[in-house]
């Protein structure tokens, strides 16, 4: 799961990048004293830092295995090195050696030349809510972005010279600047994720430093910073709404975190770090994509693919045909295996060929760790630069800097992780022993290796619950799942989702376009790009902003501009004339991303800088997405879409019972997996010192000794493809998946208490969730939003209960 939404705002939070759970308890905001003399420069803004005391009850939790990243909202990219394609930035949150960037100068020159000769206006720059995705090409990026940046620098010049310390004279002009940037750079960022190419890479790398320059200029503008302080201290402050006050407070905080107080050499060094981190983030992401694409295993012997389900064989044959093997069929091959998740995962769980599993597993865990795509030196350099950046701002570590704008503190985050680790470890040990015993009972000899565990765990699940992903796939055709998901949105939130294909240009024929209606009138729009395209689309799943709701940016004749979102997944494409048949995990992923989209689309906040997912602390944004996952198990919801794609027959009752029974299978193992990622992340960003004898891989092994029940291979290099923390928004923030999961489980528990079979109660509770969690966006602190919905502070008990660990925790 990942959270990488390209949501861009400007001035501290004015340029957001939303990419994509976490957990905590007990909320009241705390004032945090400065711990070091250097931090006295932050004194004026201490009161604006929102903190939450997180007192987690003794207990255990588990989390559904996240096999592919999901994307969640990213803000304040400048805090950690910016995104793969960072938004301008104050507030853009995508975080990501000295290895040089490789730029194809010839490609850039050709792109600029081609665009310069064109008579038509650059479609990238057109001021529209629905971008001209069918017309925009790589050659538009360099001239388009340069024209945009020139326009924005001129606007900033004018604003700095004439700034007035009022909402209308300061914040509104900055929102316009940020919005203009978001609509252009957001398209570039989006294309980088779904339509990558050598030409696009070259163009992005050419203009990226210039883009970061604009971000740095805004985050360090003393005239604007002084104007925000004057607004905070002036006569208009009392008349501002609570949402406006929260925006101003967060902007002041983010100015400080953006380096506004730095002078001379310190400022120059800070800005150089930002530029290099941005380049490294892009390089890291490119290396992962290239390494994933580079592995191709062609199989011609049916014995080599024994055990693979028909859907996987069909996909592998389809991939082989694309590579020039005409006439490839699911039955006779040849079959092409890749490291793209829809290809990789079935091999690990179903292939009887142990040698094939080992080869594919070793390739997967070593992606981007050798040759020209080696991310190892890049990781060391990123960590070195982040630590230096934190010191410049007066923090002891980058982890502390990262958490200055989150709900948690480092101590509270690590306290939560340890609480969950100790609660889950025994269950994970039992999981391991059960799979080993089952494999031995089936004739396996020796100890299970990493490439054996998923295979035998799936066989045990089939034996224990008589259920498999492949048995369920025919009941989860994408068109039916979408229909059920949209019915759920109506049931809970009283909105209608209807197709709007043809009303907006698309970037690929597989993309769908929908509109959301409230009381029969358009409330929002979103694109859905569901299928894997390993040649050009990065892995994972995410929600991203196209435009946000805003009163200020309302078109002529309208009261507000409506929000528009991207939803991107990477499930198996249709094969052999059949619709895309989903695994249950893919169903959960779709529900998850729709939860993010709902918070973006159903916001009632009209201040553009706090609407939807904007201005929400990073470790709270997973609440609506993880909340929506729970509904995939709800009987009424599931049966609204679980029907055989050919016969229309509903999912058999016994299959549903088995699915529910298998829900918490290996929950301890799944929990530890996520806790390992979270703990490595915090260890690297809080205590690791690059270049002092220990490598990042040593740290990974040390953390694994505490968090995992199987020792990773010595050559395991999963960190080299850990885009969440090195090329995404989760640096020193991966714990957020656990932090927010406490909130989401407790939120769903409100529906359980009301009665899932009581339709009136479900609708009433859904309306309350809509009017608080979804509607209030970043206008209210998330701790307060939760209390408004739930009537109390959160509890870990529902999470433990949902994951089948409550009894274990109490023991």
């Amino acid at each position: 799961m990942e959270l990488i939404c390209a949501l861009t705002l400007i001035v501290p939070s004015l340029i957001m990048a939303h990419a994509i759970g976490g957990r905590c308890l007990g909320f009241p905001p705390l004032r945090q004293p400065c711990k070091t003399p250097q931090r006295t420069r932050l004194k004026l803004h201490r009161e604006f830092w929102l903190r939450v005391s997180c007192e987690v009850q003794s207990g255990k939790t588990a989390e559904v295995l996240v096999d592919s990243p999901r994307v969640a909202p990213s803000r304040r990219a400048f805090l950690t090195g910016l995104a793969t394609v960072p938004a301008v930035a104050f507030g853009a949150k995508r975080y990501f050696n000295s290895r040089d960037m490789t730029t194809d100068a010839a490609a850039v020159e050709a792109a600029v030349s081609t665009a310069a000769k064109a008579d038509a206006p650059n479609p990238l720059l057109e001021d529209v809510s629905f971008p001209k995705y069918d017309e925009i090409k790589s050659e538009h990026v360099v001239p388009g972005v340069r024209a945009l940046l020139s326009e924005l620098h001129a606007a900033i010049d004018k604003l700095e010279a004439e700034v007035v310390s009022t909402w209308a004279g300061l914040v509104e002009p900055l929102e316009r600047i940020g919005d203009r940037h978001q609509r252009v750079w957001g398209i570039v960022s989006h294309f980088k994720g779904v339509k990558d190419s050598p030409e696009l890479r070259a163009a992005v790398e050419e203009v990226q430093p210039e883009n970061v320059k604009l971000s740095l200029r805004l985050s360090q503008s003393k005239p604007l910073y002084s104007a925000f302080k004057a607004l905070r201290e002036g006569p208009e402050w009392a008349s501002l709404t609570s949402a406006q006050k929260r925006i101003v407070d967060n902007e002041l905080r983010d100015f400080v975190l953006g380096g506004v107080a730095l002078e001379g050499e310190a400022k120059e060094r800070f800005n150089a770090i930002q530029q290099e981190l941005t380049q490294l983030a892009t390089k890291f992401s490119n290396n992962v994509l290239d390494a994933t694409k580079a592995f191709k295993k062609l199989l011609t012997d049916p014995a080599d693919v024994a055990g693979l389900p028909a859907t996987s064989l069909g996909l592998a044959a389809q991939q082989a045909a694309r590579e020039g093997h005409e006439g490839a069929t699911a039955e006779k091959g040849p079959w092409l295996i890749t490291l793209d998740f829809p290809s990789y995962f079935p091999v690990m769980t179903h292939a009887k060929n142990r040698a094939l599993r080992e080869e594919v597993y070793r390739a997967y865990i070593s992606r981007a760790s050798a040759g020209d795509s080696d991310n190892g030196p890049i990781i060391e350099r990123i960590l070195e630069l982040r630590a230096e950046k934190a010191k410049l701002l007066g923090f002891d570590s980058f982890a502390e800097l990262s958490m200055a704008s989150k709900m948690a503190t480092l101590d509270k985050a690590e306290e939560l992780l340890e609480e969950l680790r100790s609660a889950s470890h025994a269950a994970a040990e039992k999981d391991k022993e059960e799979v080993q015993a089952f494999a031995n009972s089936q004739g396996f000899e020796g100890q299970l290796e990493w490439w054996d565990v998923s295979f035998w765990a799936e066989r045990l699940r089939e034996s224990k619950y008589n259920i498999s992903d492949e048995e369920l796939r025919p009941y989860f055709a994408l068109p039916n799942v979408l229909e059920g998901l949209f019915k759920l949105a109506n049931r809970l939130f009283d909105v209608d989702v209807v197709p709007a294909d043809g009303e907006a240009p698309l970037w690929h024929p597989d993309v769908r376009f929908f509109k959301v209606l409230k009381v029969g009138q358009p409330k929002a729009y979103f694109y859905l790009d569901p299928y894997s395209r390993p040649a050009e689309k990065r892995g994972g799943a995410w929600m991203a902003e196209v435009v946000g709701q805003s009163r200020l940016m309302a078109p002529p004749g309208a009261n507000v501009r409506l929000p528009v979102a991207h939803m991107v997944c990477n499930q198996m494409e249709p094969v052999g004339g059949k619709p895309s048949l989903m695994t249950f995990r893919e169903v959960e992923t779709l529900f998850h991303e729709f939860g993010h989209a709902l918070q973006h689309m159903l916001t009632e906040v009209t201040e553009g800088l706090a609407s939807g997912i904007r201005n929400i602390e990073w470790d709270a944004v997973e609440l609506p997405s993880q909340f929506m996952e729970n509904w995939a198990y709800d009987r009424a919801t599931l049966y609204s879409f679980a029907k055989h794609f050919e016969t229309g027959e509903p999912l058999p009752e016994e299959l549903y019972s088995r699915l529910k029974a298998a829900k918490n299978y290996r929950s301890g193992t799944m929990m530890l997996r996520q806790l390992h990622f979270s703990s490595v992340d915090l260890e690297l960003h809080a205590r690791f010192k690059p270049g002092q004898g220990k490598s990042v891989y040593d740290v990974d092994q040390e953390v694994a000794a505490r968090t995992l029940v199987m020792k990773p291979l010595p050559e395991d290099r999963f960190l080299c493809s850990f885009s969440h923390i090195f090329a995404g928004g989760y640096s020193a923030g991966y714990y957020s998946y656990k932090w927010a999961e406490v909130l989401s489980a407790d939120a769903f528990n409100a529906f359980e208490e009301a009665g899932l079979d009581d339709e009136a109660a479900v609708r009433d509770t859904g309306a309350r969730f809509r009017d608080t969690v979804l509607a209030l966006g970043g206008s209210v602190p998330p701790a307060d939003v939760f209390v408004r919905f739930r009537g109390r502070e959160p509890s870990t008990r529902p999470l433990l209960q949902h994951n089948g660990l409550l009894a274990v925790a109490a023991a």
Side-chain angles (χ1 to χ4, degrees):
M1 296 193 343
E2 179 190 355
L3 187 66
I4 289 183
C5 295
L7 212 171
T8 312
L9 282 188
I10 230 177
V11 217
S13 6
L14 298 168
I15 286 198
M16 305 168 53
H18 165 104
I20 328 261
R23 310 179 191 293
C24 111
L25 257 240
F27 277 94
L30 302 178
R31 306 287 192 253
Q32 294 297 313
C34 294
K35 295 183 178 179
T36 64
Q38 297 97 312
R39 290 180 67 177
T40 57
R41 68 169 66 104
L42 304 181
K43 181 179 178 183
L44 290 175
H45 308 291
R46 215 177 293 149
E47 64 266 34
F48 305 133
W49 297 359
L50 297 175
R51 299 289 195 185
V52 174
S53 174
C54 182
E55 300 176 357
V56 183
Q57 301 169 7
S58 176
K60 307 176 184 177
T61 46
E63 175 169 310
V64 174
L65 175 62
V66 178
D67 296 297
S68 56
R70 310 217 186 149
V71 185
S74 265
R75 300 188 312 120
R76 302 178 182 83
F78 70 97
L79 292 183
T80 52
L82 299 111
T84 305
V85 182
V88 161
F90 286 119
K93 192 177 203 176
R94 294 238 236 152
Y95 316 62
F96 309 109
N97 266 219
S98 32
R99 178 183 295 270
D100 291 333
M101 296 294 293
T102 301
T103 301
D104 187 341
V108 173
E109 186 176 347
V112 174
S113 175
T114 300
K117 293 176 183 176
D119 294 328
N122 190 325
L124 182 63
L125 296 177
E126 296 206 25
D127 190 9
V128 291
S129 294
F130 304 150
K132 295 190 174 181
Y133 286 127
D134 56 341
E135 296 181 19
I136 297 168
K137 301 190 179 347
S138 299
E139 56 261 31
H140 295 124
V141 172
V142 171
V145 170
R146 283 184 171 152
L148 169 74
L149 296 179
S150 177
E151 169 194 328
L152 296 183
H153 276 296
I156 297 168
D157 288 341
K158 187 174 187 296
L159 179 60
E160 287 182 331
E162 304 172 357
V163 66
V164 179
S165 297
T166 63
W167 185 266
L170 170 63
V171 184
E172 290 186 354
L174 281 169
E175 181 181 346
R176 291 185 189 278
I177 291 171
D179 190 82
R180 176 64 173 151
H181 179 272
Q182 153 61 21
R183 287 203 264 178
V184 177
W185 191 254
I187 295 170
V188 177
S189 181
H190 176 64
F191 268 27
K192 190 72 177 61
V194 302
K195 205 175 177 61
D196 198 14
S197 69
E199 295 77 17
L200 180 59
R201 286 187 184 185
V204 168
E205 290 170 8
E206 177 74 3
V207 295
Q208 208 167 39
E210 300 164 43
N211 188 60
V212 176
K213 246 175 153 178
L214 177 70
S215 167
L216 291 170
R217 178 185 178 183
L218 279 167
S219 61
Q220 296 168 4
S221 171
K222 286 184 168 53
L224 300 183
Y225 175 58
S226 297
F228 267 101
K229 287 202 296 183
L231 174 59
R232 178 69 172 80
E233 298 162 2
E236 189 183 4
W237 179 254
S239 64
L240 296 184
T241 66
S242 59
Q244 290 172 331
K245 288 179 178 178
R246 180 167 153 83
I247 288 169
V248 172
D249 284 347
N250 284 354
E251 294 306 321
L252 283 166
R253 175 200 65 196
D254 290 347
F255 266 113
V256 176
L257 299 180
V260 74
L262 300 178
E263 300 285 355
E265 290 183 5
K267 180 178 180 179
E268 290 180 11
R269 182 59 191 147
F270 181 90
N271 292 351
I273 288 172
Q274 291 297 83
Q275 288 283 8
E276 188 174 351
L277 283 172
T278 303
Q279 293 179 335
L280 292 171
T282 301
K283 182 62 175 172
F284 187 100
S285 183
N286 288 345
N287 285 347
V288 174
L289 180 60
D290 290 345
T292 301
K293 290 193 298 183
F295 180 88
K296 295 175 183 178
K297 178 75 173 178
L298 186 68
L299 302 172
T300 57
D301 186 346
D304 289 337
V305 295
L308 286 179
T311 51
S312 299
L313 293 173
L315 176 64
Q318 196 161 285
Q319 290 170 332
R322 287 201 189 105
E323 293 288 324
H325 299 277
E326 296 182 9
T329 66
E331 296 77 19
K332 298 182 179 180
W335 305 272
L336 187 69
I337 304 299
T338 73
L339 297 183
D340 198 46
F341 196 77
S343 178
Y344 164 79
F345 189 66
V347 171
M348 300 313 301
T349 51
H350 296 292
K352 295 180 180 179
N353 185 337
R354 191 182 186 216
L356 174 65
R357 295 200 309 268
E358 179 178 358
E359 180 181 359
V360 172
Y361 177 78
R362 288 183 179 276
Y364 194 81
I365 64 167
S366 61
R367 285 179 300 160
S369 65
D372 292 338
S373 296
D374 187 0
N375 275 337
I378 293 178
I379 291 173
E380 296 259 352
R381 183 59 175 164
I382 286 174
L383 292 172
E384 181 182 7
L385 291 172
R386 287 175 176 172
E388 184 182 358
K389 172 182 170 180
K391 294 293 184 185
L392 285 171
L393 292 175
F395 291 88
D396 291 335
S397 69
F398 180 80
E400 286 194 0
L401 168 59
S402 173
M403 292 185 182
S405 58
K406 293 182 172 69
M407 296 173 67
T409 63
L410 177 60
D411 289 345
K412 290 301 181 182
E414 292 191 321
E415 179 183 315
L416 175 62
L417 296 181
E418 174 56 26
E419 192 78 38
L420 299 179
R421 186 204 66 79
S422 62
S424 308
H425 202 274
E429 284 282 8
K430 184 178 178 182
D431 292 341
K432 175 187 172 184
E433 293 167 2
E434 285 185 349
V435 174
Q436 180 72 59
F438 178 79
N440 292 151
S441 74
Q442 300 300 304
F444 181 85
E445 298 179 356
Q447 291 296 307
L448 294 176
E449 300 288 353
W450 280 97
W451 49 88
D452 299 318
V453 175
S454 293
F455 176 82
W456 286 109
E458 183 65 14
R459 304 290 79 75
L460 175 57
R461 187 171 83 110
E462 292 169 352
S463 172
K464 207 171 185 180
Y465 304 104
N466 193 23
I467 195 169
S468 71
D469 280 342
E470 296 310 309
E471 186 179 12
L472 292 170
R473 272 191 195 269
Y475 296 96
F476 300 144
L478 176 60
N480 294 338
V481 175
L482 287 175
E483 181 182 356
L485 180 58
F486 299 159
K487 285 181 179 177
L488 177 64
N490 176 267
R491 179 186 178 205
L492 297 181
F493 311 128
D494 196 23
V495 294
D496 296 302
V497 181
V498 298
D501 300 296
E503 295 187 24
L506 307 175
W507 57 91
H508 191 278
D510 291 337
V511 177
R512 299 287 311 279
F513 190 64
F514 297 91
K515 71 172 70 170
V516 179
L517 304 177
K518 185 175 181 180
V519 197
Q521 297 300 310
K523 176 69 179 75
Y525 300 84
F526 68 94
Y527 303 83
L528 173 64
D529 186 349
Y531 310 132
S532 169
R533 295 189 301 276
E536 64 178 11
K537 184 178 178 184
R538 75 178 184 84
W542 62 94
M543 171 267 167
E545 173 184 316
V546 182
V547 296
Q549 179 159 288
S550 171
R551 168 189 52 79
L552 183 66
M553 305 307 299
N559 294 323
V560 70
R561 182 186 63 192
L562 300 180
V564 184
H566 296 131
M567 278 176 56
V568 183
C569 297
N570 264 287
Q571 65 198 56
M572 187 180 293
E573 62 189 295
V575 176
K578 299 176 182 178
S580 176
L581 302 179
M582 306 170 69
T583 64
F584 189 72
R585 184 177 290 107
E586 288 169 342
V587 172
E588 290 178 297
T589 298
L590 183 65
F591 275 55
H592 180 106
E593 301 311 331
F594 192 58
H596 283 304
L598 285 170
Q599 188 172 36
H600 173 63
M601 296 188 295
L602 298 190
T603 183
E604 293 299 333
V605 179
T606 58
E607 294 296 347
L609 301 184
S611 68
I613 55 178
R614 297 178 175 188
N615 212 42
I616 298 177
E617 282 75 357
W618 179 263
D619 37 12
V621 295
E622 293 293 337
L623 166 55
S625 55
Q626 293 183 142
F627 163 80
M628 287 299 292
E629 288 186 45
N630 290 284
W631 292 96
Y633 284 96
D634 173 57
R635 192 185 190 287
T637 302
L638 189 70
Y639 272 91
S640 70
F641 62 81
K643 47 194 172 187
H644 198 282
F645 77 99
E646 289 178 321
T647 67
E649 290 295 315
L651 182 75
E653 284 287 346
E654 60 163 341
L655 264 183
Y656 173 62
S657 298
R658 284 185 262 149
L659 177 66
K660 290 273 285 186
K663 176 178 181 289
N664 292 320
Y665 175 57
R666 302 183 76 223
S667 60
T669 300
M670 302 307 106
M671 171 69 81
L672 286 192
R673 180 179 188 270
Q674 292 301 98
L675 294 177
H676 176 69
F677 293 162
S678 302
S679 299
V680 170
D681 173 35
L682 290 184
E683 186 66 27
L684 289 175
H685 287 104
R687 286 170 284 275
F688 175 68
K689 307 293 184 185
Q692 296 190 12
K694 188 182 293 186
S695 74
V696 294
Y697 312 122
D698 294 331
V699 173
D700 182 30
Q701 293 285 342
E702 290 173 1
V703 173
R706 185 169 48 87
T707 58
L708 299 179
V709 295
M710 276 185 70
K711 186 177 181 180
L713 297 179
E715 61 270 31
D716 190 309
R717 296 292 182 267
F718 101 90
L719 286 173
C720 288
S721 58
F722 197 5
S723 296
H724 287 72
I725 68 171
F726 297 118
Y730 284 97
S731 45
Y734 199 88
Y735 75 90
S736 297
Y737 281 111
K738 292 299 162 196
W739 188 272
E741 199 176 355
V742 165
L743 309 180
S744 64
D746 201 349
F748 185 72
N749 187 239
F751 290 82
E752 295 174 316
E753 290 176 351
L756 292 174
D757 295 328
D758 185 334
E759 193 61 22
V762 167
R763 289 182 178 274
D764 287 346
T765 310
R768 193 167 74 250
F769 187 90
R770 177 197 65 206
D771 296 339
T772 53
V773 176
L774 300 182
L776 295 175
S779 67
V780 176
D784 296 343
V785 172
F786 185 88
V787 171
R788 289 191 195 185
F789 166 67
R790 200 69 173 96
R792 58 165 174 75
E793 294 180 351
S795 164
T796 55
R797 184 180 179 85
L799 177 63
L800 298 172
Q801 184 177 353
H802 290 167
N803 287 279
L805 293 171
L806 189 59
V808 181

